[in-house]
Amino acid sequence: MAPQPQALTDAVIPPIVLSGVVEIGLHLGLSAGSWFAETGLDAERLLDSGNAPVSYDQAATVLRRALRALPPGPWGIRLGQRDILISMGLLGVALSSCATLGDALALGSELHLASGSLVDVDFEILDGEVVLNLRQRETDTALEIFLFEEALCTAVTFLRTMLGAGRSPSSVELSYPAPAYADEYARFFRCPVVFGAGATRMRVSAALLAHRLPHHHEPTRTVAAAACRQLISSHNVEKDIVLAVEALLEGHARTPLTVTAVARRLNLSERTLRRQLSSAGEGFSTVRDRVRARCATLLLRESTLTIDAIAREMGFSDGREFRRAYIRWTGRSPLSVRNDRN
């Protein structure tokens, strides 16, 4: 079953594609800081945060700015040629553990959002061929070429990794005119490529669907697929600004940040930060208290620190002040939570 459509501000997209572009920019000696202005993200935190998800709006804004700053080139093709565990993340683990290419195709169609892709994908079988259809989630000519290049090349890289480097699609059709580097497409896809088509799609022989994959391991597939579903589940959606604020506050539990400091680190004005939080149904103090309660509870349950030591870790100079704050946050005393583990 395909995942439900997400709002463009829902933080459900692993930053795999986004971080790849930032790494390209840094490798070329570009300063990526301006790409993140007014997004609630920054380059350093993005590269250090693992799979902390971002929203479509955040990712698209940064990518537009990055592509304007980068010299013209086949950047989507470059990213799509990376190792599948890098370019697809947890979804790459799930797909490579499937029994057959057909199983992987069906699972990938269901869970493609977990790869960090910013395009939507489905497939159909027509006249002995699998037709992989790609569509932009939001029409954006500035991103069209890059996003389709990355998604198509990632799919072909997966095909070749699983079934051998000699495998290629039957054909590739693209909705946009040929770029200046069109010869890169011929070199990579090694099949007929049609530019200016009515849609973007790729065809492969349906006979390939029965091919068994070399790394099939059902327990790994089950666990990885469940983790992907959890990652993109609508029940776990947080608005991008809330997630960004929480991530920043969690990294400064010992010296709690003020709203002014958080806004500055997120490249926002304080007024804009408060307005965006309000639109997401949150207030800064509520988010900060929730994060501090979560961090304190983790220390109470998992560490051997005394309650007074935990108070200091949470930025309190007085243990009694911490106890009062923790009761206000959670309705329970720190001692009762500590005793739960016994």
Side-chain angles (χ1 to χ4, degrees):
M1 180 176 64
Q4 293 299 308
Q6 305 289 353
L8 298 180
T9 56
D10 289 344
V12 294
I13 301 173
I16 298 171
V17 175
L18 193 56
S19 60
V21 172
V22 172
E23 287 171 352
I24 288 173
L26 296 178
H27 180 72
L28 293 176
L30 301 178
S31 175
S34 62
W35 303 351
F36 292 83
E38 298 288 312
T39 64
L41 301 173
D42 67 64
E44 183 177 350
R45 225 162 15 92
L46 179 78
L47 296 177
D48 289 342
S49 64
N51 273 340
V54 300
S55 73
Y56 181 94
D57 277 354
Q58 287 176 316
T61 297
V62 175
L63 286 174
R64 285 188 212 102
R65 294 168 177 171
L67 293 173
R68 284 198 297 266
L70 291 171
W75 302 118
I77 295 176
R78 296 287 182 268
L79 288 184
Q81 293 182 69
R82 296 180 297 173
D83 181 279
I84 60 171
L85 297 184
I86 297 175
S87 63
M88 302 180 77
L90 191 58
L91 183 61
V93 176
L95 300 189
S96 62
S97 303
C98 287
T100 67
L101 185 65
D103 294 337
L105 179 63
L107 189 63
S109 180
E110 175 195 349
L111 300 176
H112 71 277
L113 292 176
S115 71
S117 174
L118 274 70
V119 299
D120 288 326
V121 180
D122 62 42
F123 73 93
E124 54 189 334
I125 299 177
L126 297 172
D127 301 324
E129 290 187 314
V130 177
V131 183
L132 195 67
N133 300 298
L134 283 72
R135 296 176 303 281
Q136 282 190 281
R137 204 159 299 157
E138 182 181 48
T139 301
D140 190 332
T141 55
L143 295 179
E144 180 182 21
I145 294 177
F146 170 80
L147 294 180
F148 285 147
E149 283 179 355
E150 190 280 331
L152 288 168
C153 293
T154 296
V156 173
T157 298
F158 178 81
L159 177 70
R160 290 171 177 164
T161 301
M162 294 294 103
L163 301 186
R167 299 288 183 180
S168 291
S170 305
S171 65
V172 172
E173 299 171 32
L174 301 154
S175 57
Y176 48 85
Y181 50 84
D183 56 335
E184 293 277 353
Y185 286 74
R187 256 195 302 272
F188 178 79
F189 289 112
R190 304 198 296 268
C191 71
V193 177
V194 178
F195 292 97
T200 295
R201 58 176 68 93
M202 182 172 71
R203 302 173 188 270
V204 298
S205 170
L208 296 178
L209 297 180
H211 278 250
R212 300 196 65 81
L213 301 187
H215 307 300
H216 174 224
H217 188 252
E218 196 59 25
T220 299
R221 188 206 66 79
T222 300
V223 171
C228 288
R229 291 188 180 96
Q230 179 78 3
L231 180 66
I232 63 177
S233 169
S234 59
H235 298 295
N236 292 324
V237 167
E238 289 193 72
K239 296 301 180 185
D240 47 22
I241 189 62
V242 177
L243 203 65
V245 170
E246 287 190 345
L248 190 53
L249 291 172
E250 284 175 353
H252 295 81
R254 192 181 183 96
T255 54
L257 298 175
T258 64
V259 63
T260 302
V262 168
R264 185 171 60 252
R265 289 169 183 264
L266 294 179
N267 300 304
L268 301 170
S269 68
E270 180 179 334
R271 182 178 180 181
T272 298
L273 174 59
R274 290 189 184 278
R275 186 180 68 249
Q276 290 186 5
L277 285 173
S278 178
S279 296
E282 296 275 15
F284 178 77
S285 296
T286 301
V287 175
R288 183 173 58 185
D289 287 351
R290 182 167 68 239
V291 169
R292 300 187 80 192
R294 190 160 62 220
C295 292
T297 300
L298 182 65
L299 290 172
L300 288 166
R301 289 177 174 168
E302 304 297 335
S303 78
T304 58
L305 295 173
T306 66
I307 290 178
D308 284 345
I310 291 174
R312 290 191 292 273
E313 287 295 315
M314 297 302 303
F316 291 90
S317 57
D318 186 294
R320 289 173 297 180
E321 184 184 357
F322 167 65
R323 290 178 179 86
R324 286 195 294 270
Y326 190 81
I327 291 171
R328 175 169 54 83
W329 295 337
T330 69
R332 300 184 63 188
S333 71
L335 183 60
S336 70
V337 174
R338 169 57 59 86
N339 288 339
D340 281 348
R341 68 182 188 178
N342 298 328

